[in-house]
Coordinates of all heavy atoms in Angstrom, one line a residue:
M141 N 91.3 143.6 85.0 CA 91.9 145.0 84.9 C 91.0 146.0 84.7 O 90.0 145.9 83.9 CB 92.9 145.0 83.8 CG 94.1 144.2 83.9 SD 95.4 145.1 84.7 CE 96.6 143.8 85.0
A142 N 91.1 147.0 85.4 CA 90.2 148.4 85.3 C 90.7 149.2 84.1 O 91.8 149.0 83.6 CB 90.3 149.1 86.6
S143 N 89.8 150.0 83.7 CA 90.2 150.9 82.7 C 89.6 152.3 83.0 O 88.7 152.4 84.0 CB 89.8 150.6 81.3 OG 88.4 150.5 81.2
M144 N 90.1 153.4 82.4 CA 89.7 154.7 82.8 C 89.8 155.6 81.6 O 90.7 155.5 80.8 CB 90.5 155.1 84.0 CG 91.0 156.6 83.9 SD 92.2 157.1 85.4 CE 91.9 156.1 86.6
V145 N 88.9 156.6 81.5 CA 88.9 157.7 80.5 C 89.2 158.9 81.2 O 88.5 159.3 82.2 CB 87.6 157.7 79.7 CG1 87.7 158.9 78.7 CG2 87.3 156.5 78.9
I146 N 90.2 159.6 80.7 CA 90.5 161.0 81.4 C 90.2 162.0 80.5 O 90.7 162.1 79.3 CB 92.0 161.0 81.7 CG1 92.4 159.9 82.7 CG2 92.4 162.3 82.4 CD1 93.8 159.8 83.0
R147 N 89.3 162.9 80.8 CA 88.9 164.1 79.9 C 89.4 165.3 80.4 O 90.0 165.5 81.5 CB 87.4 164.1 80.1 CG 86.6 162.9 79.4 CD 85.1 163.1 79.7 NE 84.4 162.0 79.0 CZ 84.1 160.9 79.5 NH1 84.6 160.5 80.6 NH2 83.5 160.0 78.8
N148 N 89.4 166.3 79.5 CA 89.9 167.7 79.7 C 91.3 167.9 80.1 O 91.7 168.6 80.9 CB 89.0 168.3 80.9 CG 87.4 168.2 80.4 OD1 87.2 168.6 79.2 ND2 86.6 168.0 81.4
I149 N 92.1 167.1 79.5 CA 93.5 167.3 79.6 C 94.0 168.5 78.6 O 93.8 168.4 77.4 CB 94.4 166.0 79.2 CG1 93.9 164.8 80.2 CG2 95.9 166.2 79.3 CD1 94.5 163.5 79.7
P150 N 94.6 169.4 79.1 CA 95.0 170.5 78.2 C 95.9 170.0 77.2 O 96.7 169.1 77.3 CB 95.8 171.5 79.1 CG 95.3 171.2 80.6 CD 95.0 169.8 80.5
D151 N 95.7 170.6 75.9 CA 96.5 170.1 74.7 C 97.9 170.2 74.9 O 98.8 169.3 74.6 CB 96.1 170.9 73.5 CG 94.6 170.6 73.0 OD1 94.1 169.6 73.4 OD2 94.0 171.5 72.4
D152 N 98.5 171.3 75.5 CA 99.9 171.4 75.8 C 100.5 170.3 76.8 O 101.5 169.9 76.5 CB 100.3 172.8 76.3 CG 99.7 173.2 77.6 OD1 98.5 172.7 77.8 OD2 100.4 173.9 78.3
V153 N 99.7 170.1 77.8 CA 100.1 169.0 78.6 C 100.2 167.6 78.0 O 101.1 166.9 78.2 CB 99.1 169.0 79.8 CG1 99.4 167.8 80.7 CG2 99.1 170.3 80.7
M154 N 99.2 167.4 77.1 CA 99.1 166.1 76.4 C 100.2 166.0 75.5 O 100.8 165.0 75.3 CB 97.7 165.9 75.7 CG 97.5 164.6 75.2 SD 97.4 163.4 76.6 CE 97.8 161.9 75.9
E155 N 100.6 167.0 74.8 CA 101.7 167.0 73.8 C 103.0 166.8 74.6 O 103.8 165.9 74.1 CB 101.8 168.3 73.0 CG 100.8 168.4 71.9 CD 100.8 167.1 71.0 OE1 101.8 166.7 70.5 OE2 99.7 166.5 70.7
R156 N 103.2 167.4 75.6 CA 104.5 167.2 76.5 C 104.5 165.8 76.9 O 105.5 165.1 77.0 CB 104.5 168.2 77.7 CG 105.2 169.5 77.3 CD 105.5 170.3 78.5 NE 104.4 170.5 79.4 CZ 103.4 171.3 79.4 NH1 103.5 172.3 78.4 NH2 102.6 171.4 80.4
F157 N 103.4 165.2 77.4 CA 103.3 163.8 77.9 C 103.6 162.9 76.8 O 104.4 161.9 77.0 CB 101.9 163.6 78.5 CG 101.9 162.3 79.2 CD1 102.1 162.2 80.5 CD2 101.2 161.2 78.6 CE1 102.1 161.0 81.2 CE2 101.2 160.0 79.2 CZ 101.6 159.9 80.6
K158 N 103.0 163.1 75.5 CA 103.3 162.2 74.5 C 104.8 162.3 74.1 O 105.4 161.3 73.7 CB 102.5 162.6 73.3 CG 101.0 162.2 73.4 CD 100.2 162.7 72.2 CE 98.7 162.2 72.3 NZ 98.0 162.6 71.0
E159 N 105.4 163.5 74.1 CA 106.8 163.6 73.8 C 107.7 162.9 74.7 O 108.7 162.3 74.5 CB 107.2 165.1 73.7 CG 108.6 165.3 73.4 CD 109.1 164.6 72.2 OE1 108.4 164.6 71.2 OE2 110.2 164.1 72.2
R160 N 107.3 163.0 76.0 CA 108.1 162.3 77.0 C 108.0 160.8 76.9 O 108.9 160.0 77.1 CB 107.7 162.6 78.5 CG 108.1 164.0 78.8 CD 107.7 164.4 80.2 NE 108.1 165.9 80.4 CZ 107.5 166.6 81.2 NH1 106.4 166.3 82.0 NH2 107.9 167.9 81.3
A161 N 106.8 160.3 76.4 CA 106.6 158.8 76.1 C 107.5 158.4 75.1 O 108.2 157.3 75.1 CB 105.2 158.6 75.9
R162 N 107.3 159.2 73.9 CA 108.3 158.9 72.8 C 109.7 158.9 73.2 O 110.4 157.9 72.7 CB 108.1 159.9 71.7 CG 106.9 159.7 70.8 CD 106.9 160.6 69.6 NE 106.7 162.1 69.8 CZ 105.5 162.6 70.0 NH1 104.4 161.9 69.9 NH2 105.4 163.9 70.3
A163 N 110.1 159.8 73.8 CA 111.5 159.9 74.3 C 112.0 158.6 75.2 O 113.1 158.2 75.1 CB 111.8 161.2 75.2
A164 N 111.0 158.1 75.9 CA 111.2 156.9 76.7 C 111.1 155.6 76.0 O 111.2 154.6 76.5 CB 110.3 156.9 77.9
G165 N 110.6 155.8 74.7 CA 110.4 154.6 73.8 C 109.1 153.9 74.2 O 109.0 152.7 74.2
K166 N 108.1 154.6 74.8 CA 106.9 154.1 75.2 C 105.7 154.7 74.6 O 105.8 155.9 74.1 CB 106.8 154.1 76.8 CG 108.0 153.4 77.5 CD 107.8 153.7 79.0 CE 109.0 153.1 79.7 NZ 109.0 153.2 81.1
S167 N 104.6 154.0 74.7 CA 103.3 154.8 74.3 C 103.0 155.6 75.4 O 103.2 155.6 76.6 CB 102.3 153.6 74.0 OG 101.8 153.0 75.1
A168 N 102.1 156.7 75.1 CA 101.5 157.5 76.0 C 100.6 156.7 77.1 O 100.7 156.9 78.2 CB 100.7 158.6 75.5
E169 N 100.0 155.7 76.6 CA 99.2 154.9 77.5 C 100.0 154.1 78.4 O 99.7 153.9 79.6 CB 98.4 153.9 76.5 CG 97.3 153.0 77.3 CD 96.5 152.2 76.5 OE1 96.1 152.6 75.5 OE2 96.2 151.1 76.9
Q170 N 101.2 153.6 77.9 CA 102.1 152.9 78.8 C 102.6 153.8 80.0 O 102.7 153.5 81.1 CB 103.2 152.2 78.2 CG 104.2 151.5 79.0 CD 103.6 150.3 79.8 OE1 102.7 149.6 79.3 NE2 104.0 150.2 81.1
L171 N 103.0 155.0 79.5 CA 103.6 155.9 80.5 C 102.5 156.3 81.4 O 102.7 156.5 82.7 CB 104.1 157.1 79.8 CG 104.9 158.1 80.6 CD1 106.2 157.4 81.0 CD2 105.3 159.3 79.6
A172 N 101.2 156.4 81.0 CA 100.2 156.8 81.9 C 100.0 155.7 82.9 O 99.7 155.9 84.2 CB 98.9 157.1 81.1
R173 N 100.0 154.4 82.4 CA 99.8 153.4 83.4 C 100.9 153.3 84.5 O 100.7 153.1 85.6 CB 99.8 152.0 82.6 CG 98.5 151.6 82.0 CD 98.4 150.1 81.5 NE 99.5 149.8 80.6 CZ 99.3 150.0 79.2 NH1 98.2 150.3 78.8 NH2 100.2 149.7 78.4
E174 N 102.1 153.6 84.0 CA 103.2 153.5 85.0 C 103.1 154.7 86.0 O 103.3 154.5 87.2 CB 104.5 153.7 84.3 CG 104.9 152.5 83.4 CD 106.1 152.7 82.5 OE1 106.8 153.8 82.6 OE2 106.4 151.8 81.8
A175 N 102.6 155.8 85.5 CA 102.4 157.0 86.5 C 101.3 156.7 87.5 O 101.4 157.0 88.6 CB 102.0 158.3 85.7
I176 N 100.2 156.1 87.0 CA 99.1 155.7 87.9 C 99.4 154.6 88.8 O 99.3 154.7 90.1 CB 97.8 155.2 87.1 CG1 97.2 156.4 86.3 CG2 96.8 154.6 87.9 CD1 96.3 156.0 85.2
A177 N 100.3 153.7 88.4 CA 100.8 152.6 89.3 C 101.8 153.2 90.4 O 101.6 152.7 91.5 CB 101.5 151.5 88.4
E178 N 102.6 154.1 90.0 CA 103.5 154.8 90.9 C 102.7 155.5 92.0 O 102.9 155.5 93.1 CB 104.4 155.7 90.2 CG 105.4 156.4 91.1 CD 106.3 157.3 90.3 OE1 106.7 157.1 89.2 OE2 106.6 158.4 91.0
K179 N 101.7 156.3 91.5 CA 100.9 157.2 92.5 C 99.9 156.2 93.3 O 99.6 156.6 94.5 CB 100.1 158.2 91.8 CG 101.0 159.3 91.2 CD 101.7 160.0 92.2 CE 102.4 161.2 91.7 NZ 103.2 161.9 92.6
G180 N 99.6 155.1 92.7 CA 98.6 154.2 93.5 C 99.4 153.1 94.3 O 98.7 152.3 95.0
A181 N 100.6 153.2 94.4 CA 101.4 152.1 95.1 C 101.2 152.3 96.5 O 101.0 153.4 97.0 CB 102.9 152.3 94.8
V182 N 101.4 151.2 97.3 CA 101.3 151.3 98.7 C 102.4 152.1 99.3 O 103.5 151.9 98.9 CB 101.3 149.8 99.2 CG1 101.2 149.9 100.9 CG2 100.1 149.0 98.7
S183 N 102.1 153.1 100.2 CA 103.1 153.9 100.8 C 103.8 153.1 101.9 O 103.3 152.2 102.5 CB 102.5 155.2 101.4 OG 101.7 154.9 102.5
R184 N 105.0 153.7 102.2 CA 105.8 153.1 103.3 C 104.9 153.2 104.6 O 105.0 152.4 105.4 CB 106.9 154.0 103.4 CG 107.9 153.5 104.6 CD 109.2 154.5 104.7 NE 110.0 154.3 106.0 CZ 110.9 153.4 106.0 NH1 111.3 152.8 105.0 NH2 111.5 153.3 107.3
T185 N 104.2 154.3 104.9 CA 103.4 154.5 106.0 C 102.3 153.4 106.0 O 102.1 152.8 107.2 CB 102.8 155.9 106.0 OG1 103.8 156.8 106.1 CG2 101.9 156.1 107.3
E186 N 101.7 153.2 105.0 CA 100.7 152.0 104.9 C 101.2 150.7 105.2 O 100.7 149.9 105.9 CB 100.0 152.1 103.5 CG 99.1 153.3 103.3 CD 98.7 153.4 101.8 OE1 99.4 153.2 101.0 OE2 97.5 153.8 101.6
L187 N 102.5 150.4 104.6 CA 103.1 149.1 104.9 C 103.4 149.0 106.4 O 103.1 147.9 107.0 CB 104.3 149.0 104.0 CG 104.2 148.8 102.6 CD1 105.6 148.9 101.9 CD2 103.5 147.4 102.4
I188 N 104.0 150.0 107.0 CA 104.3 150.0 108.4 C 103.0 149.7 109.2 O 103.0 148.9 110.2 CB 105.0 151.2 108.8 CG1 106.4 151.2 108.1 CG2 105.1 151.4 110.3 CD1 107.2 152.5 108.3
R189 N 102.0 150.5 108.9 CA 100.8 150.3 109.6 C 100.3 148.9 109.5 O 99.8 148.3 110.5 CB 99.7 151.4 109.1 CG 98.5 151.4 110.0 CD 97.4 152.4 109.4 NE 98.1 153.7 109.2 CZ 98.1 154.4 108.1 NH1 97.3 153.9 107.0 NH2 98.6 155.5 107.8
E190 N 100.2 148.3 108.3 CA 99.7 147.0 108.1 C 100.7 146.0 108.9 O 100.2 145.0 109.5 CB 99.7 146.5 106.6 CG 99.1 145.2 106.4 CD 97.7 145.1 106.8 OE1 97.0 146.1 106.8 OE2 97.2 144.0 107.1
A191 N 102.0 146.2 108.9 CA 103.0 145.3 109.7 C 102.6 145.4 111.1 O 102.8 144.4 111.9 CB 104.4 145.7 109.4
E192 N 102.3 146.6 111.6 CA 102.0 146.7 113.0 C 100.7 146.0 113.5 O 100.6 145.4 114.5 CB 102.0 148.3 113.4 CG 103.2 148.9 113.4 CD 103.2 150.4 113.5 OE1 102.1 150.9 113.4 OE2 104.2 151.0 113.6
K193 N 99.7 145.9 112.5 CA 98.5 145.2 112.8 C 98.8 143.8 112.9 O 98.3 143.1 113.8 CB 97.5 145.4 111.6 CG 96.8 146.7 111.6 CD 95.7 146.9 110.4 CE 95.3 148.2 110.2 NZ 94.4 148.3 109.1
I194 N 99.7 143.3 111.9 CA 99.9 141.9 112.0 C 100.7 141.5 113.2 O 100.5 140.5 114.0 CB 100.8 141.5 110.7 CG1 99.8 141.6 109.5 CG2 101.3 140.0 110.9 CD1 100.6 141.4 108.2
R195 N 101.7 142.4 113.7 CA 102.5 142.1 114.8 C 101.6 142.1 116.0 O 101.8 141.3 116.9 CB 103.5 143.2 114.8 CG 104.7 143.0 115.8 CD 105.7 144.0 115.9 NE 106.5 144.1 114.6 CZ 106.6 145.1 113.8 NH1 106.0 146.2 114.1 NH2 107.1 145.0 112.7
A196 N 100.6 143.0 116.1 CA 99.7 143.0 117.2 C 98.9 141.8 117.4 O 98.5 141.5 118.4 CB 98.8 144.3 117.1
R197 N 98.6 141.0 116.3 CA 97.9 139.8 116.4 C 98.8 138.6 116.8 O 98.3 137.5 117.0 CB 97.1 139.6 115.0 CG 96.0 140.6 114.8 CD 95.2 140.2 113.6 NE 95.9 139.7 112.4 CZ 96.1 140.3 111.3 NH1 95.5 141.5 111.2 NH2 96.8 139.7 110.3
S198 N 100.0 138.8 116.6 CA 101.0 137.8 116.7 C 101.5 137.8 118.2 O 101.7 138.8 118.7 CB 102.3 137.9 115.8 OG 101.8 138.0 114.5
K199 N 101.8 136.5 118.7 CA 102.3 136.4 120.0 C 103.8 136.6 119.9 O 104.4 136.1 119.0 CB 101.9 135.2 120.8 CG 102.5 133.9 120.2 CD 102.0 132.8 121.0 CE 102.8 131.4 120.7 NZ 102.5 130.3 121.6
P200 N 104.5 137.2 120.8 CA 105.9 137.2 120.9 C 106.6 135.9 120.9 O 106.1 134.9 121.5 CB 106.3 138.1 122.1 CG 105.0 138.6 122.6 CD 103.9 137.7 122.0
V201 N 107.9 135.8 120.2 CA 108.5 134.6 120.2 C 109.8 134.9 120.9 O 110.5 135.8 120.6 CB 108.6 134.1 118.7 CG1 109.6 132.8 118.7 CG2 107.4 133.8 118.1
D202 N 110.3 134.1 121.8 CA 111.5 134.2 122.5 C 112.7 133.9 121.8 O 112.5 133.3 120.7 CB 111.5 133.5 123.9 CG 111.4 132.0 123.6 OD1 110.3 131.5 123.4 OD2 112.5 131.3 123.5
L203 N 113.9 134.4 122.1 CA 115.1 134.2 121.2 C 115.4 132.7 121.0 O 115.7 132.3 119.9 CB 116.2 134.9 121.9 CG 117.6 134.7 121.2 CD1 117.5 135.3 119.8 CD2 118.7 135.4 121.9
E204 N 115.2 132.0 122.0 CA 115.5 130.5 122.1 C 114.7 129.8 120.9 O 115.2 129.0 120.0 CB 115.3 129.8 123.4 CG 115.6 128.4 123.4 CD 115.5 127.7 124.8 OE1 115.9 128.4 125.7 OE2 114.9 126.6 124.8
T205 N 113.4 130.1 120.8 CA 112.5 129.6 119.9 C 112.8 130.0 118.6 O 112.8 129.3 117.5 CB 111.0 130.0 120.2 OG1 110.6 129.5 121.6 CG2 110.0 129.3 119.2
T206 N 113.2 131.3 118.4 CA 113.5 131.9 117.1 C 114.8 131.2 116.5 O 114.8 130.8 115.4 CB 113.8 133.3 117.2 OG1 112.6 134.0 117.7 CG2 114.3 133.9 115.9
L207 N 115.8 130.9 117.4 CA 117.0 130.3 117.0 C 116.7 128.8 116.6 O 117.2 128.4 115.6 CB 118.1 130.3 118.1 CG 118.5 131.8 118.4 CD1 119.5 131.8 119.6 CD2 119.2 132.4 117.1
R208 N 115.9 128.2 117.3 CA 115.5 126.8 117.0 C 114.8 126.7 115.7 O 115.1 125.9 114.8 CB 114.6 126.1 118.2 CG 114.2 124.7 117.9 CD 113.3 124.2 118.9 NE 112.0 125.1 119.2 CZ 111.0 125.0 118.4 NH1 111.0 124.4 117.4 NH2 110.0 125.9 118.8
I209 N 113.8 127.6 115.4 CA 113.1 127.6 114.1 C 114.1 127.8 113.0 O 114.1 127.2 111.9 CB 112.0 128.7 114.1 CG1 111.0 128.2 115.1 CG2 111.4 128.9 112.7 CD1 109.9 129.2 115.4
M210 N 115.1 128.9 113.1 CA 116.0 129.1 112.2 C 116.9 127.8 111.9 O 117.2 127.5 110.6 CB 116.9 130.3 112.5 CG 116.1 131.6 112.6 SD 117.0 133.1 113.2 CE 118.4 133.0 112.2
Q211 N 117.3 127.2 112.9 CA 118.2 126.0 112.8 C 117.4 124.9 112.0 O 118.0 124.2 111.1 CB 118.7 125.6 114.1 CG 119.8 124.5 113.9 CD 120.9 124.9 113.1 OE1 121.5 125.9 113.4 NE2 121.4 124.1 112.0
E212 N 116.2 124.7 112.4 CA 115.3 123.6 111.7 C 115.2 124.0 110.2 O 115.3 123.1 109.4 CB 114.0 123.6 112.4 CG 113.9 123.0 113.7 CD 112.6 123.0 114.4 OE1 111.7 123.6 113.9 OE2 112.5 122.6 115.5
A213 N 115.0 125.2 110.0 CA 114.9 125.7 108.4 C 116.3 125.4 107.7 O 116.2 124.9 106.6 CB 114.5 127.2 108.4
R214 N 117.4 125.7 108.4 CA 118.7 125.5 107.8 C 118.9 124.0 107.6 O 119.4 123.5 106.6 CB 119.8 126.1 108.7 CG 119.9 127.5 108.5 CD 121.1 128.0 109.4 NE 121.1 129.4 109.6 CZ 120.9 130.1 110.7 NH1 120.8 129.3 111.9 NH2 120.9 131.3 110.8
D215 N 118.6 123.2 108.7 CA 118.8 121.7 108.5 C 117.9 121.2 107.2 O 118.3 120.4 106.7 CB 118.4 121.0 109.8 CG 119.3 121.4 111.0 OD1 120.4 121.9 110.7 OD2 118.9 121.2 112.1
E216 N 116.7 121.7 107.3 CA 115.8 121.2 106.1 C 116.4 121.6 104.8 O 116.4 120.8 103.9 CB 114.4 121.7 106.3 CG 113.4 121.4 105.2 CD 112.1 122.1 105.4 OE1 111.7 122.2 106.5 OE2 111.4 122.5 104.4
R217 N 116.9 122.8 104.6 CA 117.5 123.2 103.5 C 118.7 122.5 103.2 O 118.9 122.0 102.0 CB 117.9 124.7 103.6 CG 118.6 125.2 102.4 CD 119.4 126.5 102.7 NE 120.5 126.2 103.7 CZ 121.1 127.1 104.4 NH1 120.7 128.4 104.4 NH2 122.1 126.7 105.2
D218 N 119.6 122.1 104.1 CA 120.8 121.5 103.8 C 120.6 120.0 103.5 O 121.5 119.3 103.0 CB 121.7 121.7 105.1 CG 122.3 123.1 105.2 OD1 122.1 123.8 104.2 OD2 122.6 123.4 106.3
A219 N 119.5 119.5 104.0 CA 119.1 118.1 103.7 C 118.7 117.8 102.2 O 118.9 116.7 101.7 CB 118.0 117.6 104.6
R220 N 118.5 118.8 101.5 CA 118.0 118.7 100.2 C 119.3 118.7 99.3 O 120.3 119.4 99.6 CB 117.1 119.9 99.7 CG 115.8 119.9 100.3 CD 114.8 120.9 99.6 NE 115.4 122.2 99.6 CZ 114.9 123.2 100.5 NH1 114.1 122.9 101.3 NH2 115.4 124.4 100.3
P221 N 119.3 118.0 98.2 CA 120.6 117.9 97.4 C 120.7 119.3 96.7 O 119.8 120.1 96.4 CB 120.2 116.9 96.3 CG 118.8 116.8 96.3 CD 118.3 117.1 97.7
Y222 N 121.9 119.7 96.5 CA 122.2 120.9 95.8 C 122.3 120.6 94.2 O 123.1 119.9 93.8 CB 123.6 121.5 96.1 CG 123.9 122.8 95.4 CD1 123.3 123.8 95.5 CD2 125.1 122.7 94.5 CE1 123.6 125.0 94.8 CE2 125.5 123.8 93.8 CZ 124.8 125.0 94.0 OH 125.1 126.2 93.3
L223 N 121.3 121.1 93.6 CA 121.3 121.0 92.1 C 121.1 122.3 91.4 O 120.0 122.9 91.1 CB 119.9 120.1 91.7 CG 119.9 118.7 92.4 CD1 118.5 118.2 92.2 CD2 121.0 117.8 91.9
P224 N 122.3 123.0 91.1 CA 122.2 124.3 90.6 C 121.6 124.4 89.2 O 121.1 125.5 88.9 CB 123.7 124.7 90.5 CG 124.4 123.4 90.5 CD 123.6 122.4 91.2
D225 N 121.6 123.4 88.5 CA 121.0 123.5 87.0 C 119.4 123.2 87.0 O 118.8 123.4 86.0 CB 121.6 122.5 86.1 CG 123.1 122.8 85.9 OD1 123.3 124.1 86.1 OD2 123.9 121.9 85.5
V226 N 118.8 122.9 88.2 CA 117.5 122.7 88.3 C 116.7 123.9 88.7 O 117.0 124.5 89.8 CB 117.1 121.4 89.4 CG1 115.6 121.3 89.5 CG2 117.9 120.2 88.9
D227 N 115.8 124.4 87.8 CA 115.1 125.6 88.0 C 113.6 125.3 88.6 O 112.8 125.1 87.9 CB 115.0 126.4 86.9 CG 114.5 127.8 87.1 OD1 114.5 128.3 88.2 OD2 113.8 128.4 86.1
D228 N 113.5 125.1 90.0 CA 112.3 125.0 90.5 C 111.9 126.1 91.4 O 112.6 127.0 91.7 CB 112.2 123.5 91.2 CG 113.2 123.4 92.4 OD1 113.8 124.4 92.8 OD2 113.2 122.3 93.0
D229 N 110.7 126.0 92.1 CA 110.1 127.0 92.9 C 110.3 126.8 94.4 O 109.5 127.2 95.1 CB 108.7 127.2 92.6 CG 108.5 127.9 91.2 OD1 109.5 128.5 90.7 OD2 107.5 127.7 90.5
R230 N 111.4 126.1 94.8 CA 111.6 125.9 96.1 C 112.0 127.1 97.0 O 112.7 127.9 96.6 CB 112.6 124.7 96.4 CG 112.0 123.4 96.3 CD 112.7 122.4 96.8 NE 113.4 121.7 95.7 CZ 114.2 120.7 95.9 NH1 114.5 120.3 97.0 NH2 114.8 120.2 94.9

């Protein structure tokens, strides 16, 4: 995990930030981590661009093949016993 030091935050801004953190039941550090994570999250545009790159490298699959693959997956799923109380990572 990375860390960072932020300098020269105006006192009034820091006080409001700390108050918002207290009101949310969080530390100022936690609130700052959440804000950084939100601003640093992958944007919709970036996700679409990455999906388009992957799509460009993939060959098209016809409907018949798609339906066959889906049916095979369903058949495989249905062949397994239904055990609702078993918590596994299938």
Side-chain angles (χ1 to χ4, degrees):
M141 291 268 175
S143 62
M144 136 186 335
V145 174
I146 302 173
R147 293 179 175 79
N148 302 321
I149 300 171
D151 292 336
D152 61 323
V153 172
M154 192 64 201
E155 283 307 312
R156 279 193 306 275
F157 190 80
K158 285 180 180 180
E159 181 51 42
R160 288 183 184 151
R162 276 191 295 276
K166 300 176 182 181
S167 68
E169 187 174 320
Q170 178 62 35
L171 195 62
R173 277 194 300 271
E174 291 172 6
I176 290 168
E178 182 180 323
K179 291 297 183 181
V182 178
S183 72
R184 178 183 168 94
T185 302
E186 291 168 320
L187 285 173
I188 291 170
R189 191 176 310 127
E190 189 61 30
E192 288 170 351
K193 286 181 191 177
I194 292 168
R195 195 174 297 119
R197 292 191 316 252
S198 305
K199 70 177 190 173
V201 178
D202 60 279
L203 179 60
E204 184 179 318
T205 301
T206 301
L207 294 174
R208 180 182 51 78
I209 291 169
M210 290 171 62
Q211 188 59 50
E212 288 172 1
R214 286 187 192 112
D215 291 344
E216 181 182 319
R217 177 201 63 202
D218 293 344
R220 293 191 303 259
Y222 176 65
L223 303 171
D225 295 334
V226 177
D227 186 24
D228 64 2
D229 292 335
R230 278 196 256 182

